[in-house]
């Protein structure tokens, strides 16, 4: 039914190079940093952690349901295809579905690593270069943690999803520095927070939950960085320049809402691809995911000032316009607290 290879496709067929245009900016103003950004840089330095110490890698995943997620999280749960599966086949679907998801996290984290390095190179302010430098090491740590989870524990990995790849490709190849922030720090990191949160809050497997909790603590800082930097910059753009950014936001939001379905999984486990895709599009799992996704993205997009008619109309059509009233900073603060709570629980368990 499934391939036992660690990767479902050989890596030399899937790696790719982006030939974009990137300018490099050096600045000579070292002292005139913005307090909010320098405070975030300070926080970034103090909150560094080591993935091999903070996470207990002696823990294992479950053989039948690796991250101990409820079956409602399976996009085809409740479908006629799902109902006909034997117990053994359900185990395959869970394992492949979860490995697909963690694979996308891993590849997305590598995208973040590359994008943050690009920000260091391009951004025309020293305070932002400082902060982005702390984020480079954060993203390397995230790649390390998801890679260990995938390669040591799942022993199965998927290539990058073609739609996620297309989005990343757009962001990496654009020469305008703020597109890197907008695409990565606001949109893809918003997507990441929505996806990680589900596992952090629902997984009954301590290893999987804690990897996601700790990564989210960093991601919350990263989104805050994107907000601060763009909030200062976007008011200075012309109407036309802002319209280009808004168009990009709308397109990316539709892509994230409609395209990121686990389409590679169904064929790999021998199920009818078209039927599974059609069912999963409107499944409970996807509906909940979209709610979390837009609660992370919509208030931030409003906050950075990309709130023209085009964006508002699109969110209205998607039924998510009301989410603009959410307090995104409060959500990010909560993400930081949850990770601290994981540390407390670990210490208590060790003491016992
Ligand atoms: Fe990350
Ligand atoms: Fe990040």
């Amino acid at each position: 039914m499934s391939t036992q290879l660690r990767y479902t496709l050989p890596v030399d067929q899937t790696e790719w190079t982006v030939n974009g245009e990137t300018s490099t900016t050096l600045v000579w103003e070292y002292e005139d940093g913005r307090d909010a950004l320098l405070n975030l840089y300070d926080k970034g330095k103090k909150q560094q952690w080591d993935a091999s110490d903070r996470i207990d890698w002696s823990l294992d995943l479950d053989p039948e349901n690796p991250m101990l997620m409820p079956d409602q999280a399976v996009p085809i749960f409740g479908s006629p295809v799902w109902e006909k599966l034997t117990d053994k086949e359900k185990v395959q679907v869970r394992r492949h579905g979860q490995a697909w998801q963690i694979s996308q996290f891993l590849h997305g984290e590598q995208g973040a690593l590359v994008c943050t390095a690009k920000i260091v190179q391009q951004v025309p302010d020293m305070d932002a270069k400082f902060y982005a430098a702390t984020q480079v090491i954060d993203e390397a740590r995230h790649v390390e943690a998801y890679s260990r989870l995938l390669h040591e524990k799942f022993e199965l990995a998927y290539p990058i999803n073609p739609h996620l790849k297309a989005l990343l490709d757009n962001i990496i190849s654009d020469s305008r520095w703020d597109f890197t922030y907008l695409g990565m720090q606001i949109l893809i990191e918003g997507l990441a927070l929505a996806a990680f949160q589900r596992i952090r809050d629902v997984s009954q497997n301590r290893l999987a939950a804690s990897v996601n909790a700790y990564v989210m603590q960093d991601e919350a800082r990263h989104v805050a960085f994107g907000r601060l930097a763009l909030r200062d910059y976007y008011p200075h753009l012309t109407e036309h320049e802002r319209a280009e950014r808004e168009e990009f936001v709308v397109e990316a939001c539709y892509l994230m809402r409609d395209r990121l379905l686990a389409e590679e999984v169904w064929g790999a486990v021998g199920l009818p691809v078209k039927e599974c895709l059609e069912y999963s599009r409107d499944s409970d799992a996807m509906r909940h995911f979209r709610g979390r996704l837009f609660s992370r993205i919509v208030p931030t997009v409003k906050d950075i000032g990309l709130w023209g008619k085009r964006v508002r109309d699109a969110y209205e059509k998607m039924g998510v316009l009301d989410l603009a009233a959410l307090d995104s900073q409060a959500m990010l603060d909560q993400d930081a607290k949850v990770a601290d709570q994981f540390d407390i629980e670990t210490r208590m368990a060790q003491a016992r």
Side-chain angles (χ1 to χ4, degrees):
M1 185 173 176
S2 84
T3 163
Q4 290 304 311
L5 292 173
R6 190 171 281 182
Y7 266 95
T8 53
L9 275 177
V11 285
D12 55 2
Q13 282 179 28
T14 52
E15 63 189 20
W16 97 102
T17 304
V18 181
N19 292 313
E21 257 178 48
T22 302
S23 53
T24 302
T25 306
L26 289 104
V27 292
W28 313 116
E29 178 51 70
Y30 293 99
E31 306 233 37
D32 200 14
R34 290 159 284 186
D35 285 346
L37 270 178
L38 292 175
N39 285 340
L40 210 58
Y41 169 56
D42 225 39
K43 224 171 160 183
K45 284 188 293 180
K46 291 197 177 102
Q47 294 185 342
Q48 291 296 315
W49 51 281
D50 185 340
S52 44
D53 295 341
R54 198 181 187 190
I55 295 164
D56 181 357
W57 294 101
S58 70
L59 298 173
D60 275 316
L61 299 176
D62 185 87
E64 306 218 325
N65 178 358
M67 301 197 286
L68 293 175
M69 295 293 287
D71 279 341
Q72 283 81 352
V74 178
I76 57 163
F77 175 77
S79 67
V81 172
W82 173 262
E83 298 302 339
K84 275 187 248 147
L85 296 180
T86 63
D87 286 347
K88 219 171 137 199
E89 288 168 328
K90 284 182 183 170
V91 168
Q92 280 296 77
V93 170
R94 289 187 203 107
R95 178 165 172 264
H96 275 258
Q98 294 176 22
W100 177 86
Q101 200 177 19
I102 298 296
S103 300
Q104 304 318 313
F105 293 179
L106 171 63
H107 306 316
E109 292 293 354
Q110 187 188 165
L113 173 64
V114 169
C115 280
T116 324
K118 187 172 168 238
I119 290 176
V120 174
Q121 184 180 1
Q122 284 189 296
V123 73
D125 302 291
M126 190 52 75
D127 52 6
K129 284 185 192 292
F130 276 6
Y131 179 77
T134 67
Q135 192 179 330
V136 171
I137 183 70
D138 291 348
E139 304 300 2
R141 178 168 57 245
H142 301 170
V143 174
E144 177 195 346
Y146 284 120
S147 172
R148 279 190 80 169
L149 186 60
L150 202 61
H151 295 104
E152 289 176 21
K153 304 294 176 175
F154 274 94
E155 295 184 62
L156 170 70
Y158 274 80
I160 188 166
N161 171 272
H163 305 292
L164 178 61
K165 181 182 167 187
L167 183 59
L168 258 180
D169 206 275
N170 261 339
I171 297 168
I172 296 172
S173 58
D174 203 294
S175 61
R176 294 162 291 189
W177 65 264
D178 70 290
F179 269 76
T180 318
Y181 275 92
L182 183 59
M184 182 47 73
Q185 311 286 111
I186 306 292
L187 299 172
I188 295 194
E189 302 228 311
L191 168 75
L193 284 170
F196 300 167
Q197 186 183 349
R198 173 85 167 144
I199 298 173
R200 180 195 71 183
D201 294 348
V202 176
S203 167
Q204 295 298 309
N205 177 277
R206 180 78 191 170
L207 173 63
S210 58
V211 168
N212 284 283
Y214 294 147
V215 170
M216 279 184 81
Q217 186 172 37
D218 293 343
E219 301 302 353
R221 273 197 317 275
H222 303 169
V223 175
F225 171 50
R227 271 174 62 216
L228 283 173
L230 295 182
R231 208 160 49 180
D232 283 349
Y233 181 65
Y234 281 163
H236 303 293
L237 296 184
T238 65
E239 203 66 17
H240 174 72
E241 287 168 332
R242 235 186 334 267
E244 284 177 328
R245 274 75 181 166
E246 291 188 356
E247 191 181 324
F248 173 68
V249 167
V250 169
E251 272 172 23
C253 283
Y254 273 116
L255 182 149
M256 292 190 290
R257 191 190 72 151
D258 299 331
R259 300 282 173 79
L260 299 181
L261 303 160
E263 58 190 83
E264 306 89 310
V265 169
W266 313 123
V269 296
L271 297 181
V273 177
K274 203 163 157 251
E275 202 177 329
C276 290
L277 260 183
E278 262 160 31
Y279 186 87
S280 54
R281 211 159 267 148
D282 296 310
S283 64
D284 274 359
M286 272 313 279
R287 265 210 310 281
H288 285 126
F289 164 72
R290 286 173 190 139
R292 285 193 310 279
L293 171 68
F294 287 111
S295 66
R296 293 292 184 167
I297 289 178
V298 175
T300 315
V301 169
K302 183 180 181 195
D303 200 46
I304 57 176
L306 293 183
W307 204 238
K309 187 168 168 358
R310 189 186 182 118
V311 168
R312 280 181 283 125
D313 285 353
Y315 286 154
E316 172 100 71
K317 235 184 250 161
M318 295 186 212
V320 297
L321 189 64
D322 292 347
L323 297 175
L326 290 174
D327 182 346
S328 52
Q329 190 54 52
M331 278 188 274
L332 299 175
D333 292 344
Q334 179 61 18
D335 294 330
K337 275 190 211 139
V338 173
D340 291 337
Q341 192 56 36
F342 267 79
D343 284 333
I344 293 170
E345 284 164 18
T346 303
R347 276 199 297 275
M348 278 163 54
Q350 282 163 349
R352 274 200 299 274

